[in-house]
Amino acid sequence: MTARDVFLPVAAQPSVDALVDMSRQAEERGYGRVWLPETWGRDAVTTLTSIAERTEEVGIGTSLLNVYSRSPALLGQTAATLQEVSDGRFRAGIGPSGPIVIEAWHGVEFDRPLKRTREAVEIVKLVLSGEAVEYDGDVFSLSGFRLRCDPPEPAPGVDAGGLGPKSVELAGRFADGWHALLLTPEGLRDRLEDFERGCSLGDGDLDDKRVTLSLPCCALADRERARELARQHLAFYVGGMGTFYRDALARQGYEETADEISARWASGEKDAAVAAIGDDLLDSLAAAGTPEECRERIETFEAIDGVDAVSVSFPRAADRAVIDATMDALAP
């Protein structure tokens, strides 16, 4: 059975307490896990520690920590610590992010993202094993690092994010799972083939790996407001967050639309960028509308073979009332 998770808001929230309250609400409503992104607001590690201490059953996870702003050894220490404070409820999601975040915000060269992600995944898993880490890679070389505390038992899963065929294949080959986003049902099936191929190349067991889809959701009695909030969210990512999301949309057969959104956004015509997302595309990328419509739409994604969890994520402009209403309407 496909699990249903919550992807906590990307947009700034008034306090850590607000994110804790959302996580407790998710726990009460029966969601399996809350995932927290790390962008330009509160750091994910401190916030997840607060969530872990003030919840009891709901899983917690990072989606995603980038592999440039922390060393792989520190990522491993962090995963071990969050697994400890959550009593075994943690799952690590890591990935390269993109040049806007890495170069403009962190001041680090966005160099060899696939190689860096692969090596980071391997090193984090070595750290979590509790053994001394001897690693000689193209990006990282480590010698003698070892946890001074007992390694977590069980070790948390280490997932990788990715949009393109090679990055998804990498997740299947080296990580314990894949975090997917901005994918239509057909686009998701295509990438699942890449994930399965990677798993075969790595001699892994597909049954032991986990695919989690982050799906923009907005379930309101006011159908048009819900759909407009979802359109705005999608336009921001395709038009305002670099080329990765635009390319992902183009790869799925929407190149003309992706180019129009990107061009309109770049020229300051944001309303036109939002309007370029037609109803069919909106319904292919999100669950937005009345609660009944959204439940039907999310079930379409959950029924795709190979998807283990769907995370209910929220539009960037969603306020707390919209978040609460959506979370309640789509509770498992």
Side-chain angles (χ1 to χ4, degrees):
M1 181 177 177
T2 306
R4 194 170 294 183
D5 297 342
V6 166
F7 193 94
L8 292 167
V10 175
Q13 299 302 309
S15 65
V16 171
D17 284 345
L19 290 161
V20 171
D21 287 345
M22 291 175 199
S23 301
R24 294 174 72 174
Q25 182 180 349
E27 182 172 67
E28 291 168 1
R29 299 297 185 272
Y31 287 94
R33 187 176 302 274
V34 292
W35 296 98
L36 186 66
E38 187 170 74
T39 51
W40 58 94
R42 295 175 182 88
D43 79 276
V45 178
T46 307
T47 306
L48 280 175
T49 301
S50 296
I51 292 170
E53 292 288 343
R54 293 159 64 183
T55 56
E56 296 179 359
E57 297 180 355
V58 70
I60 63 171
T62 54
S63 185
L64 298 163
L65 295 179
N66 77 71
V67 296
Y68 290 86
S69 59
R70 293 178 177 87
S71 73
L74 179 56
L75 287 170
Q77 290 175 268
T78 299
T81 306
L82 284 170
Q83 182 75 326
E84 179 182 353
V85 299
S86 66
D87 294 323
R89 292 182 281 141
F90 179 66
R91 194 170 183 96
I94 65 176
S97 190
I100 287 180
V101 174
I102 301 309
E103 296 185 347
W105 298 353
H106 292 286
V108 178
E109 183 183 0
F110 189 69
D111 178 53
R112 293 177 289 178
L114 289 179
K115 177 66 72 173
R116 192 179 187 103
T117 301
R118 168 187 168 171
E119 293 189 9
V121 167
E122 291 178 327
I123 293 167
V124 169
K125 295 175 80 169
L126 287 171
V127 170
L128 291 170
S129 74
E131 300 298 321
V133 178
E134 301 292 335
Y135 190 90
D136 185 18
D138 294 332
V139 179
F140 300 105
S141 293
L142 283 73
S143 180
F145 180 93
R146 186 172 188 167
L147 287 175
R148 293 186 65 185
C149 55
D150 291 336
E153 181 58 46
V158 181
D159 301 335
L163 293 172
K166 289 299 182 182
S167 60
V168 176
E169 182 182 293
L170 181 152
R173 185 173 182 180
F174 298 102
D176 298 315
W178 167 46
H179 288 227
L181 75 164
L182 200 74
L183 290 167
T184 67
E186 283 307 311
L188 179 56
R189 291 186 182 95
D190 288 342
R191 296 290 75 79
L192 282 166
E193 292 179 5
D194 299 321
F195 183 74
E196 293 167 7
R197 182 172 59 254
C199 184
S200 298
L201 291 171
D203 296 323
D205 187 340
L206 191 61
D207 291 338
D208 294 334
K209 296 180 183 282
R210 191 167 185 82
V211 172
T212 301
L213 170 69
S214 176
L215 183 70
C217 297
C218 194
L220 301 173
D222 186 341
R223 180 179 189 270
E224 292 311 311
R225 183 182 178 219
R227 292 176 72 77
E228 184 65 14
L229 287 170
R231 277 187 228 275
Q232 292 171 2
H233 178 86
L234 295 170
F236 169 79
Y237 273 89
V238 175
M241 286 299 289
T243 61
F244 288 97
Y245 298 102
R246 183 192 67 197
D247 291 347
L249 186 58
R251 197 180 294 117
Q252 296 172 80
Y254 294 93
E255 184 172 4
E256 184 175 335
T257 300
D259 288 344
E260 180 181 359
I261 295 168
S262 181
R264 296 283 194 179
W265 194 276
S267 66
E269 301 173 86
K270 294 184 179 180
D271 289 344
V274 172
I277 300 174
D279 285 336
D280 289 345
L281 180 56
L282 177 62
D283 289 331
S284 293
L285 293 172
T290 66
E292 293 76 14
E293 288 176 309
C294 290
R295 282 192 288 268
E296 290 180 5
R297 195 64 198 146
I298 198 171
E299 288 169 2
T300 298
F301 285 91
E302 289 175 334
I304 295 173
D305 189 34
V307 175
D308 298 291
V310 174
S311 289
V312 173
S313 71
F314 310 102
R316 294 176 64 251
D319 59 22
R320 183 62 189 270
V322 170
I323 291 168
D324 288 350
T326 299
M327 199 185 303
D328 287 347
L330 300 181

